Amino acid sequence: MTARIRRGDEVQVMSGKDSGKTGKVLRVEPKKNRLYVEHLNMVKRHQRPRTMKETQRGGKIGGVVEKEGPIHLSNVMLVDPKANKPTRLAVDRSEGKRVRITKRSSTRIE
């Protein structure tokens, strides 16, 4: 099954430690049924320091780095652009193209 949520969509987290918060989707991994939302589900990772030459040229410095963690697709819902509330999606194939439509206000999502 393909993921109906795409990169750049505004989603709201429905369950978990960030439930109720909204954010923009950074990337989607359909095979793993996961997505990454901007500034949500932040996790800390320990990164090995790079050599001094790379650091002077703008390379990443080691230490504890915070970044977004994956969220399961079932734990988020798309935010309706009109109502600004979470909604389900339908797929319309009337004009030969596959178009996503919100169930709450029946608006097209491009």
Side-chain angles (χ1 to χ4, degrees):
M1 183 174 140
T2 59
R4 291 184 177 150
I5 297 174
R6 297 180 186 159
R7 182 170 28 113
D9 287 345
E10 191 76 21
V11 294
Q12 181 173 349
V13 179
M14 304 309 289
S15 64
K17 68 177 186 180
D18 291 324
S19 62
K21 296 180 183 176
T22 60
K24 186 178 172 184
V25 176
L26 295 174
R27 66 178 186 177
V28 181
E29 294 179 355
K31 290 183 180 178
K32 294 182 180 179
N33 288 329
R34 308 229 175 238
L35 52 83
Y36 294 82
V37 182
E38 191 173 29
H39 303 300
L40 294 182
N41 194 25
M42 297 301 285
V43 292
K44 292 185 178 186
R45 292 286 177 252
H46 293 74
Q47 190 164 347
R48 182 179 296 271
R50 300 292 178 205
T51 62
M52 284 302 292
K53 284 184 181 179
E54 287 184 28
T55 307
Q56 290 170 350
R57 282 186 281 166
K60 293 185 179 178
I61 303 171
V64 181
V65 178
E66 275 197 88
K67 63 180 184 177
E68 292 87 0
I71 303 173
H72 198 271
L73 279 171
S74 64
N75 294 334
V76 297
M77 286 183 82
L78 189 83
V79 174
D80 193 340
K82 266 190 184 175
N84 206 19
K85 292 183 178 178
T87 181
R88 292 182 180 174
L89 283 173
V91 177
D92 184 33
R93 301 176 190 201
S94 61
E95 300 167 3
K97 291 184 178 179
R98 200 171 163 272
V99 179
R100 299 181 300 158
I101 298 174
T102 61
K103 291 276 194 172
R104 186 178 287 270
S105 64
S106 300
T107 57
R108 294 174 142 217
I109 297 177
E110 302 301 326

